[in-house]
Amino acid sequence: MLNIALVGCGRIAKRHSELLGLNQIKGARLAAVCDTIQEKAFNIGKNFNVPAYGDMDEMMKKEKVDIVVVLTPSGVHAKNVINLAKYGKDIIVEKPMALTIDNADSMIAACDKNKCRLFIIKQNRFNVPVVKLRKALEAGRFGKLVLGTVRVRWTRHQAYYDQDNWRGTWAMDGGVLSNQASHHLDLLEWMMGDIESVFAKATTALAEIEAEDTAVATVKFKNGALGIIEATTATRPTDLEGSISVLGEQGSVVVGGVAVNKIKTWIFENEEQDDEEVLEKYSVNPPNVYGFGHQAYYEHVVKCIVDGGPNLVDGLEGRKSIELISAIYESIETGKEIALRFLPKKCKLGQA
Ligand SMILES: NC(=O)c1ccc[n+]([C@@H]2O[C@H](COP(=O)([O-])OP(=O)(O)OC[C@H]3O[C@@H](n4cnc5c(N)ncnc54)[C@H](O)[C@@H]3O)[C@@H](O)[C@H]2O)c1
């Protein structure tokens, strides 16, 4: 049984603590929690009968922990992960892993040095329809890839941004691209392959925040395919869509719904036996936009640790999204097309 401790007891910690505290993850249990706002840690600790702390070092020194999960605001993930690495335990960190490429590199280096495995949460990769799409891609059913599109049309009212002072700031969060759409950007690159360059525009349409609430980008992939990114939290009056479309010379798939949870289109030139029932069989209805993926994600982590298997989203894989997000922001700020595999010259994200 792996003992899992949580650092940060805010909104997303509810999902993590329920999964681990209510024995939803075979082979893992909630061992301890901490938050600098002690009351938040005590509330979760009381609900699941586990020790609660106001300081992560005290928790790590006193408790028997196998995996520690970082659920703090995005801008402090790097500082927290680097501090926790010295305990030599495996570390899971919520998305986005960091806000700058330098920070992502320092996290990877600290974990390597202390022999901790680093797991980045990209739970949408484990959505039932997304797994099905990935299998079709790996089986070569699309042939040459032509076009990949992701769309995030979600609703975040001002009250969402106002609940914590880190939300929507350049130093700690960024906008819809680095926060909500980071899942979809990861899916786009995972499905379509490495990116050559991006060109983007953004605006802050409705929210009163430093960063953008609405952005569009065009993408050129190394394999010659093109892509479109459309992301907004200014959709009204309600969440409409979180989707990915993959179009190839031999087939087209659209996974939509509000949380990349429903197969909307599944057509291939060379039909296979189960193609007809795919729409029904591989669509799910999650309770919210986080989807069901956190459960499948934890099951993946437990399997990796117990069997020593491959980690689907390790530090280097998580770093790819940070590079893409930084390049998109650099394009927005400079008005230029930006080539990837670059060193950022200008990008406000992650800077105080
Ligand atoms: N995977 C997903 O779908 C998903 C969904 C929501 C949030 N997230 C990510 O989770 C992270 C947290 O988001 P949230 O909405 O829960 O934020 P939140 O502000 O509600 O919670 C963060 C908590 O961390 C605590 N904290 C800050 N510094 C700390 C420290 N040094 N030690 C211990 N606790 C500390 C804060 O007091 C706060 O309670 C963000 O990076 C966000 O992007 C991911």
Side-chain angles (χ1 to χ4, degrees):
M1 186 61 82
L2 296 168
N3 287 311
I4 305 195
L6 306 184
V7 174
C9 293
R11 284 176 80 234
I12 198 63
K14 184 172 184 308
R15 179 99 187 98
H16 289 258
S17 57
E18 283 172 3
L19 283 173
L20 296 164
L22 298 175
N23 304 318
Q24 306 285 302
I25 311 297
K26 202 166 160 242
R29 69 168 162 233
L30 188 64
V33 293
C34 94
D35 198 297
T36 39
I37 303 174
Q38 290 209 14
E39 196 192 339
K40 288 185 166 190
F42 288 141
N43 284 341
I44 293 192
K46 204 168 84 195
N47 283 349
F48 300 105
N49 205 18
V50 295
Y53 293 85
D55 177 72
M56 68 177 95
D57 290 296
E58 193 188 346
M59 176 176 81
M60 294 304 288
K61 283 176 194 156
K62 286 196 178 151
E63 298 296 329
K64 186 187 167 313
V65 174
D66 299 301
I67 307 173
V68 56
V69 190
V70 175
L71 307 174
T72 53
S74 309
V76 289
H77 287 174
K79 194 172 105 188
N80 299 154
V81 166
I82 292 164
N83 177 50
L84 288 163
K86 65 177 181 265
Y87 297 102
K89 305 297 178 189
D90 292 327
I91 300 177
I92 299 176
V93 59
E94 262 294 358
K95 65 81 209 167
M97 73 182 279
L99 296 184
T100 68
I101 297 178
D102 276 355
N103 275 346
D105 286 339
S106 305
M107 292 159 81
I108 295 167
C111 289
D112 284 352
K113 186 175 154 213
N114 292 288
K115 300 195 167 42
C116 329
R117 294 184 77 174
L118 179 59
F119 297 87
I120 318 298
I121 301 185
K122 296 283 184 187
Q123 80 269 16
N124 284 269
R125 286 198 187 195
F126 296 85
N127 291 2
V128 172
V130 172
V131 173
K132 185 73 181 159
L133 163 60
R134 176 73 193 180
K135 283 198 176 136
L137 193 82
E138 284 174 0
R141 294 195 69 191
F142 288 90
K144 179 182 171 183
L145 291 175
V146 177
L147 182 68
T149 301
V150 283
R151 271 199 206 139
V152 184
R153 294 174 172 179
W154 285 353
T155 305
R156 293 288 182 277
H157 292 286
Q158 192 60 35
Y160 160 83
Y161 291 106
D162 289 346
Q163 66 191 330
D164 302 288
N165 59 13
W166 65 274
R167 295 186 192 277
T169 62
W170 285 118
M172 297 292 279
D173 189 17
V176 62
L177 289 165
S178 54
N179 189 325
Q180 291 79 14
S182 65
H183 291 295
H184 310 80
L185 300 185
D186 172 67
L187 289 183
L188 186 68
E189 198 166 8
W190 190 40
M191 296 297 173
M192 299 293 294
D194 285 347
I195 290 173
E196 190 173 303
S197 66
V198 290
F199 181 71
K201 294 265 176 212
T203 184
T204 311
L206 299 183
E208 282 181 32
I209 53 174
E210 280 177 11
E212 83 295 342
D213 65 7
T214 303
V216 290
T218 57
V219 177
K220 204 154 85 187
F221 294 94
K222 289 207 161 148
N223 57 18
L226 296 179
I228 301 244
I229 294 163
E230 180 197 306
T232 182
T233 52
T235 310
R236 298 292 186 267
T238 185
D239 291 332
L240 284 185
E241 182 175 341
S243 69
I244 179 163
S245 308
V246 175
L247 278 57
E249 65 176 334
Q250 286 162 22
S252 303
V253 170
V254 180
V255 182
V258 285
V260 215
N261 56 300
K262 278 193 160 60
I263 299 191
K264 297 278 186 184
T265 304
W266 183 271
I267 34 171
F268 290 98
E269 292 209 342
N270 301 316
E271 282 189 22
E272 287 185 2
Q273 221 178 7
D274 79 335
D275 278 352
E276 263 183 33
E277 51 186 45
V278 163
L279 260 61
E280 191 133 338
K281 221 166 132 190
Y282 291 89
S283 294
V284 288
N285 278 314
N288 52 46
V289 293
Y290 302 154
F292 289 118
H294 277 98
Q295 176 153 9
Y297 184 77
Y298 268 116
E299 284 162 0
H300 168 70
V301 172
V302 170
K303 198 167 165 6
C304 283
I305 291 175
V306 173
D307 303 345
N311 171 1
L312 187 62
V313 195
D314 60 8
L316 285 175
E317 192 69 10
R319 182 193 189 278
K320 278 190 180 180
S321 289
I322 309 308
E323 191 176 36
L324 172 57
I325 290 167
S326 307
I328 295 176
Y329 277 122
E330 187 157 316
S331 175
I332 292 164
E333 288 168 34
T334 59
K336 294 194 174 127
E337 181 171 354
I338 300 294
L340 263 77
R341 314 297 172 250
F342 79 131
L343 287 175
K345 291 177 273 304
K346 217 174 161 288
C347 169
K348 285 191 285 227
L349 184 64
Q351 315 294 333

